[in-house]
Amino acid sequence: MSYQTIQHHDASQNAKKMRLIYGSQRLSWKARIAPSPSNTLPLCKWLAGLLRVTLIGALAISGCNSKDAGEHADKQDRQSQQEKGSAVSKPVKKEFGEASWYGPGFHGQETASGETFNQKKMTAAHPSLPIGTKAKVTNLENNKKVEVRINDRGPYADDGRVIDLSSAAAKKLDMKKDGTAQVKIETKPVKKKRSVKHSSKKK
């Protein structure tokens, strides 16, 4: 009768050891990758600071853009208003009638504007145009033109005359010989009004 020795391998102990080793490895891996409270706090502060700086920069840029846009819009509004105002405030006024001239007898006298009359300057007297108004006078008989500045009042004759030109202006219109001429007067409003004195000139 023979005996056979059978060795039993207790796998349960080895399996238990393997489970313990595997479990400890998993635990150590999780412990390595899991953030600790001490590491998380500085990271959160850094992210919060970065977010704060980003928001401040965005708000500053948007504020500058809105300010620039507002200033540009205001500038355009002012320009459009100035253009409208200039277009409205400068209508050309036309007047037709007879012109005369005066010179030597009144040279050196005080005009309605307060300045001294000089027959050699391009000036004129008008009954109602504001003192300082620049007027373009056209001789309708020969189409010659001259620009004069209103600095006096007149003419005072009751024969329908509308303007009294200086000797120099009358000469440029080639009307001195005849003494009078049919003219067209074109004027634009002046910005400033000057105080007007009564002229001693009577013609």
Side-chain angles (χ1 to χ4, degrees):
M1 184 175 178
S2 62
Y3 295 93
Q4 184 178 1
T5 303
I6 300 174
Q7 294 180 352
H8 295 282
H9 180 72
D10 190 358
S12 61
Q13 294 295 329
N14 291 334
K16 185 176 181 181
K17 289 180 180 180
M18 292 298 293
R19 285 197 299 270
L20 290 173
I21 293 170
Y22 179 74
S24 63
Q25 288 178 348
R26 290 183 60 189
L27 181 60
S28 62
W29 173 252
K30 288 181 179 179
R32 284 197 298 269
I33 65 172
S36 63
S38 60
N39 294 333
T40 305
L41 187 59
L43 179 62
C44 292
K45 287 184 177 180
W46 182 80
L47 289 175
L50 180 62
L51 180 61
R52 188 181 299 108
V53 172
T54 304
L55 289 175
I56 292 173
L59 289 174
I61 293 172
S62 62
C64 292
N65 290 337
S66 61
K67 183 180 179 180
D68 293 340
E71 291 178 353
H72 183 65
D74 292 340
K75 186 176 180 181
Q76 286 184 338
D77 291 339
R78 287 195 298 269
Q79 288 179 350
S80 62
Q81 288 175 1
Q82 289 175 356
E83 290 174 358
K84 290 179 181 179
S86 61
V88 172
S89 64
K90 293 184 178 181
V92 177
K93 180 182 177 182
K94 296 181 180 180
E95 186 180 3
F96 297 87
E98 188 178 57
S100 57
W101 66 275
Y102 67 111
F106 303 96
H107 185 77
Q109 294 187 14
E110 186 180 12
T111 64
S113 65
E115 63 184 273
T116 302
F117 174 66
N118 187 342
Q119 63 176 340
K120 296 180 181 180
K121 291 185 177 181
M122 298 297 173
T123 58
H126 192 277
S128 59
L129 285 174
I131 296 296
T133 300
K134 290 183 179 181
K136 183 171 72 174
V137 183
T138 304
N139 187 341
L140 298 177
E141 298 172 7
N142 56 22
N143 204 35
K144 292 185 177 182
K145 299 177 175 62
V146 65
E147 186 176 276
V148 297
R149 180 174 54 86
I150 305 299
N151 71 339
D152 206 355
R153 291 297 178 218
Y156 294 102
D158 297 330
D159 56 0
R161 284 183 284 176
V162 294
I163 195 168
D164 220 357
L165 301 166
S166 67
S167 177
K171 183 178 180 180
K172 196 166 184 179
L173 290 180
D174 195 17
M175 56 168 282
K176 286 188 69 174
K177 184 178 180 179
D178 295 334
T180 60
Q182 292 296 317
V183 297
K184 176 178 68 173
I185 305 170
E186 297 173 281
T187 59
K188 292 181 180 181
V190 292
K191 294 181 180 180
K192 296 181 180 180
K193 294 183 179 180
R194 300 178 182 177
S195 58
V196 178
K197 297 181 181 180
H198 293 291
S199 174
S200 59
K201 177 175 72 66
K202 297 287 182 182
K203 183 177 179 182

